[in-house]
Amino acid sequence: MTDAEPEGLSQEDYATLCGFLRDRTGLSFTEAKRYFVDRRVAARMQAVGATGLRAYMNLLRFQASGEELQRLVNLMTVNETYFFREKYQLDCLVNSVLDELVRGRPKGARLRIWSAGCATGEEPYSIAIMLLENWRRVDDYEIELLASDIDSAVLERAREGIYDERALQGLPAHLRAKYFQPLRGAAEAGGPRWQIVEDLRESVDFSLVNIADPQQVRAFRGIDVIFCRNLLIYFDDLGRREAASMFHDALAPGGFVCLGHSESMSRMSSLFVPRRFPDAILYQKPVDGGAA
């Protein structure tokens, strides 16, 4: 590995850095992302006063707190989303999937839904609103809404629950009025903003989780539905297979995975059964817990 290369990383250095990030986070960066990676790494090296990539890699590897690795990861992740994104999948949840999951369960039983890669919180809050508005049995069960991301900065924003017009563009006006409060003075500070009501903010359990780390995902067990939409596109083939296996372990028998519209579990793993519902296709862990 060479030391300082202010004009950009060498081929060897780029491969070393990307291999390290892939091993630690599951995120895969190809040559096409080189300019994106170069700029962000250069900014962090300057911020910490690293004399070259060797020194910076040592900091990433051996810093006891892991603070610098977390800061770099925060810069490397893309977190563009909005409320009710790919709503047909949320319709599938409330119209078909939940009724199937609770069949035979007594009232008061627990349902666990996990939004993996939740970014700034639009997805888990959308799920909460859909349940409250459209699932008639929402009060009959103990529903746990879990949400996780590898980016600590976006999780803080998710917990605050403050959004601009773009994030709310797909939300009907009556739901905005019901579940959001306009923030005074926000218009003068860069456009109108709204904060989701406190009851909804408290209904979601946000946590910092790297889904590529088996230790961190071990706490996620007995999950009924996993939403992991448009996250695995940033993983390589091996990373996707590992994530699919992790989701299989996390799910209760008969549980479901919901992927992004361009993603297909059949190209990642044979552990799941594709289920075609009227609104969407989801992937189910067999009830016997085995491979499909």
Side-chain angles (χ1 to χ4, degrees):
M1 186 186 300
T2 62
D3 264 352
E5 287 200 27
E7 296 303 317
L9 302 176
S10 70
Q11 191 76 26
E12 179 186 358
D13 285 351
Y14 184 75
T16 298
L17 176 66
C18 291
F20 171 79
L21 290 173
R22 191 259 173 234
D23 290 343
R24 290 291 185 93
T25 70
L27 298 174
S28 177
F29 297 99
T30 64
E31 188 67 26
K33 292 285 187 180
R34 185 161 179 167
Y35 180 72
F36 172 90
V37 173
D38 274 354
R39 284 176 60 91
R40 282 152 181 78
V41 170
R44 288 310 309 159
M45 287 175 61
Q46 183 177 13
V48 300
T51 57
L53 187 68
R54 185 186 302 275
Y56 187 61
M57 289 293 297
N58 285 337
L59 179 64
L60 294 177
R61 287 192 174 106
F62 304 119
Q63 185 183 39
S65 67
E67 181 179 352
E68 180 54 31
L69 177 59
Q70 184 64 63
R71 286 178 174 168
L72 181 61
V73 167
N74 291 358
L75 282 180
M76 293 292 193
T77 50
V78 179
N79 300 290
E80 294 185 2
T81 186
Y82 48 88
F83 279 84
F84 284 15
R85 184 177 185 178
E86 297 175 0
K87 183 176 176 291
Y88 63 92
Q89 296 175 329
L90 302 178
D91 290 333
C92 184
L93 178 72
V94 298
N95 293 336
S96 304
V97 170
L98 292 177
D99 285 338
E100 178 173 322
L101 286 169
V102 301
R103 194 173 300 143
R105 295 192 195 186
K107 286 187 177 183
R110 185 175 65 173
L111 273 171
R112 308 190 82 200
I113 301 173
W114 176 18
S115 170
C118 68
T120 44
E122 288 91 337
E123 179 175 87
Y125 288 137
S126 293
I127 294 169
I129 292 171
M130 285 292 292
L131 292 176
L132 290 169
E133 292 291 315
N134 298 289
W135 194 44
R136 69 191 187 284
R137 306 182 68 183
V138 66
D139 293 325
D140 291 342
Y141 295 93
E142 179 188 342
I143 299 172
E144 291 185 9
L145 283 177
L146 311 173
S148 68
D149 204 278
I150 196 173
D151 186 332
S152 59
V154 299
L155 285 172
E156 286 304 309
R157 291 170 57 192
R159 292 185 182 104
E160 290 176 351
I162 297 174
Y163 300 99
D164 60 14
E165 183 67 38
R166 182 189 175 281
L168 300 179
Q169 62 185 346
L171 199 67
H174 73 282
L175 295 182
R176 183 185 301 196
K178 185 173 182 179
Y179 293 108
F180 292 81
Q181 299 171 333
L183 294 181
R184 294 180 179 177
E188 292 78 11
R193 295 188 298 166
W194 292 264
Q195 184 170 34
I196 202 158
V197 295
E198 184 176 2
D199 284 350
L200 237 60
R201 296 200 307 273
E202 292 180 350
S203 73
V204 181
D205 182 8
F206 291 99
S207 58
L208 182 67
V209 174
N210 174 4
I211 68 169
D213 185 339
Q215 288 290 111
Q216 293 188 31
V217 299
R218 191 166 293 170
F220 292 82
R221 291 293 183 267
I223 306 295
D224 292 294
V225 184
I226 297 173
F227 281 81
C228 184
R229 303 188 295 177
N230 308 304
L231 171 61
L232 298 183
I233 57 175
Y234 300 106
F235 287 33
D236 59 18
D237 289 342
L238 176 59
R240 293 186 191 104
R241 289 195 297 272
E242 291 172 343
S245 179
M246 179 274 295
F247 289 150
H248 184 268
D249 291 342
L251 283 169
F256 292 89
V257 175
C258 182
L259 299 176
H261 72 277
S262 65
E263 300 168 310
S264 172
M265 183 64 77
S266 61
R267 294 198 293 265
M268 305 178 202
S269 172
S270 61
L271 292 172
F272 297 86
V273 177
R275 289 287 308 279
R276 184 180 294 274
F277 293 99
D279 296 300
I281 297 174
L282 273 63
Y283 300 91
Q284 186 175 31
K285 176 177 178 176
V287 175
D288 62 9

